[in-house]
Structure formats: C-alpha cells, structure tokens
Amino acid sequence: MTGEPAIRIDNLVKRYAPAKGAKGTVTEGKLALGGVSFDVPQGSIFGLLGPNGAGKSTLINIMAGLVNKTSGSVEIWGFDIDRHRRNASRSIGIVPQEIVFDPFFTPFEVLENQAGFYGIPAALRRSEALLEAVRLADKRDAYARTLSGGMKRRLLVAKAMVHSPPILVLDEPTAGVDVDLRRQLWELVAELNREGVTVVLTTHYLEEAEELCDRIAIINHGRVIADKPTRELVDMAREKVVEVTVDRELAEAVDQGAFARDFILRSELVEPNRIALTYDRDRVSAGQMLNHVQQLGFTVEDVTTREADLEDVFVQLTGGGA
Ligand code: ADP
Ligand code: MG
C-alpha cells in the first residue's frame, strides 16, 4: 500500500429506487451521487463537506456495504468493494450518523461483541485499551442507555476501531454535540491520526473541516465541486463582498475596465446602478473599495457588505448555478 491512496472513489453513481406513493404514483429515483471521484491520501484527515442532502451518508454507506452503488468503483486500502468486500471491510471502521446501541449492553460488552463479530481471539482483543483511549474506562460496566450523547459517540468510535483498521470514517460526528464534546471528539480524531490512522469525516460545518482536515472535498447535489488542500479552500472563503449602489448607471465604467483592478477579485452588475465587488479582506478594506468607487466619480448611495462563507464558496465553484 505504499504511495496508494487509502480510498479511491471513481465515477461513483447512486440512484435510489423509485418511490411508489399513494394512488400508484411513482416518483423518479433520487440521483444521490452523480459520478463522484476523489482519492483520500494515506495518513490524512480528509473532510467531506456538504449541505444536508448532498450525498455524504450515501457515499459512506456504500463504503460500509449498507447501500448498493448503481455504478462506479470504490477501493478501500487497495481492495475493490465488489471483488474484495471482506478485505475492504476489514480495512475500514465506520462511525454511522445515527447512534444505535442495544441499551442493555455495557461499553465493555459492546466492544467485546464487535471483536467477536470480527473473529478476534480473546487474547488479541483490546477493549480495555480502547475504552481508555476514548475516555470511557470508568463507564466500562455502565448500561449503554445511561451514557450521554457524547459518550455514546465516543463508544461508537471505539467500536469502529475494534479490528484496528487503518482507516476510520466518521459520518457527521459532531452533529447535535455541544462545544466541549466537539472539542473532545476532535482531539480523539487528531490523536488517532497521529498514530497513523487515515481519517475521513463528513460534516456540514466549514469551521470543523477547516480546523481538523488536511484536505477537503466539497460535495453538493451528489457532485464533487472542489477537492483541495484545506488552506487553498479557506483562502477562497477569505473573500468578502461589498455591494454598492451609486447615483447613475455603471455599465460604461465596467466596459472601460474601471473595476478590473488587482485588488478586485470579481465584479458583477446586480442592477444598472448597483455593483457587487468581491475582494480579499486580508488585502483591502471595505473603505478602500468605496474610495475606489468614489474616485471613479460616482456618488455612493447605499452600501452592504458580507463575509464570503461556505455558501459563497459553493456559488463560486458552481459558477452561480448551485
Ligand atoms: P447527506 O448525508 O449529505 O445529508 P444523504 O446521502 O443522506 O445526504 O442523501 C442524499 C440524497 O439522497 C437526499 O436527497 C436524500 O433524500 C436521498 N436519500 C437518502 N437515502 C435515501 C433512501 N434510502 N431512499 C431514497 N432517497 C434517499
Ligand atoms: Mg448524512
């Protein structure tokens, strides 16, 4: 596995079966993944970022063997999921989006059962060490139903690591989790990664992906619209937009290149006398942008500014057709 990606996804398509509604109506099957390709580098923390409904869980569930793909291929640790399902499964630990436990098992039993499922002999099990790693050693014998949401989440991480897979996948690990627990989970993930585990996590929080991930793929409507080192992506979100309404029409000034300046990343006429100017907030201020408009001889009548956020990054990446 030297040099190979930990996960390779090639032209993956998933169309869910058509749904039959009341009175025999049939709605067309949802195209959840419309040809997705990306590689997860070994040793990375890889973020799969996208809004609700983007197709993140569908992709994870295909890797987990819970959902059948329509076409395309997935290789996990070099094992094709169709041809080498067993080895692929052994190479990956998955923490699902939904928390489900038998409420009457204790954390220790949950891990032992999972080890049994993988056929790991008692002498080689490491339930105690895993409980230690996810800070649940003191809950070893508590009923799962008495654990807090954050503890359950951590127990799921331990459960996913029972068979010591080189890859750990977490589907929305911090959705609905408070700030402290989110921190704890991030630390746990970073720690596992330092020990050599390749981590994939899905999230719809840009901030979370930014903080944790080396590389981020953005997925929207079942398509990858960006796949970049985190730094490059965050630079795109560093953009700021100022919309300026002036006393007369701007078309002529635009045609003459009045807004084609190195400190203006993009300009767009919103109305004949209103223009949206995108700039890098690390390089220029909104005030400097306004000065520029005034120096062109316009009187500024109205100004609004906004930070570029993930939404804007989406819009930029999809050319406005998100
Ligand atoms: P995400 O995890 O990014 O929020 P999902 O993969 O859960 O997105 O969903 C992607 C799309 O597929 C959504 O439009 C969702 O409604 C649809 N979908 C998910 N699961 C099913 C299913 N079992 N049957 C039909 N459509 C589904
Ligand atoms: Mg999901």
Side-chain angles (χ1 to χ4, degrees):
M1 271 302 289
T2 42
E4 295 287 304
I7 297 175
R8 174 176 279 153
I9 292 176
D10 189 28
N11 205 11
L12 187 61
V13 174
K14 173 62 189 180
R15 186 183 285 283
Y16 284 104
K20 291 198 187 73
K23 296 174 192 150
T25 55
V26 176
T27 41
E28 196 192 344
K30 171 82 192 172
L31 185 67
L33 298 173
V36 165
S37 303
F38 62 84
D39 287 350
V40 176
Q42 269 189 55
S44 62
I45 302 186
F46 188 95
L48 188 61
L49 182 67
N52 286 328
K56 303 181 297 297
S57 292
T58 298
L59 204 146
I60 303 297
N61 290 338
I62 290 171
M63 293 200 271
L66 298 171
V67 167
N68 289 324
K69 62 187 165 62
T70 303
S71 63
S73 70
V74 177
E75 272 179 30
I76 298 171
W77 211 246
F79 299 111
D80 183 277
I81 59 165
D82 293 329
R83 286 178 290 136
H84 304 286
R85 178 73 253 175
R86 219 178 129 78
N87 281 328
S89 296
R90 287 189 165 267
S91 305
I92 200 166
I94 294 181
V95 181
Q97 186 171 350
E98 307 296 331
I99 297 181
V100 274
F101 280 119
D102 187 322
F104 296 107
F105 283 118
T106 68
F108 183 76
E109 288 166 344
V110 167
L111 300 187
E112 287 292 303
N113 291 346
Q114 184 75 354
F117 173 79
Y118 278 103
I120 301 168
L124 295 179
R125 292 184 191 174
R126 43 190 206 120
S127 303
E128 310 274 2
L130 281 167
L131 288 176
E132 200 79 53
V134 299
R135 323 267 183 276
L136 285 176
D138 58 332
K139 298 285 173 190
R140 184 188 187 277
D141 301 315
Y143 284 130
R145 70 181 145 85
T146 67
L147 303 180
S148 70
M151 290 174 182
K152 284 180 184 155
R153 200 59 82 170
R154 289 190 333 253
L155 180 55
L156 279 177
V157 174
K159 188 179 169 198
M161 295 303 297
V162 155
H163 57 300
S164 310
I167 305 168
L168 175 66
V169 176
L170 304 116
D171 194 4
E172 307 250 5
T174 57
V177 165
D178 72 28
V179 180
D180 282 353
L181 289 172
R182 190 173 297 185
R183 281 268 148 226
Q184 282 181 25
L185 270 172
W186 288 0
E187 275 167 30
L188 179 59
V189 164
E191 200 174 299
L192 287 166
N193 180 250
R194 278 194 297 275
E195 288 162 13
V197 177
T198 301
V199 179
V200 177
L201 64 95
T202 77
T203 179
H204 56 266
Y205 300 119
L206 178 61
E207 190 201 309
E208 178 163 84
E210 222 180 292
E211 170 119 7
L212 272 178
C213 303
D214 313 311
R215 193 176 177 92
I216 297 175
I218 298 186
I219 180 173
N220 193 26
H221 296 303
R223 291 180 200 280
V224 173
I225 57 174
D227 175 9
K228 290 177 190 298
T230 304
R231 196 168 15 87
E232 282 178 34
L233 208 63
V234 169
D235 283 346
M236 300 181 71
R238 200 158 275 150
E239 297 175 359
K240 199 160 171 162
V241 184
V242 58
E243 276 195 28
V244 190
T245 305
V246 296
D247 55 335
R248 54 208 156 76
E249 296 199 0
L250 287 147
E252 202 183 319
V254 171
D255 288 345
Q256 289 168 354
F259 298 99
R261 294 288 188 276
D262 61 349
F263 55 88
I264 300 175
L265 300 172
R266 278 180 304 285
S267 65
E268 187 199 343
L269 265 186
V270 186
E271 286 166 31
N273 65 337
R274 185 170 178 83
I275 193 165
L277 302 168
T278 304
Y279 61 98
D280 184 338
R281 67 172 182 227
D282 288 349
R283 287 177 59 205
V284 283
S285 66
Q288 285 168 297
M289 298 298 290
L290 288 184
N291 281 344
H292 179 67
V293 174
Q294 285 165 338
Q295 276 164 18
L296 292 169
F298 293 100
T299 301
V300 174
E301 294 186 338
D302 182 63
V303 183
T304 53
T305 62
R306 59 190 167 88
E307 304 282 329
D309 55 15
L310 185 55
E311 207 72 39
D312 290 296
V313 177
F314 279 145
V315 172
Q316 286 165 37
L317 291 168
T318 55

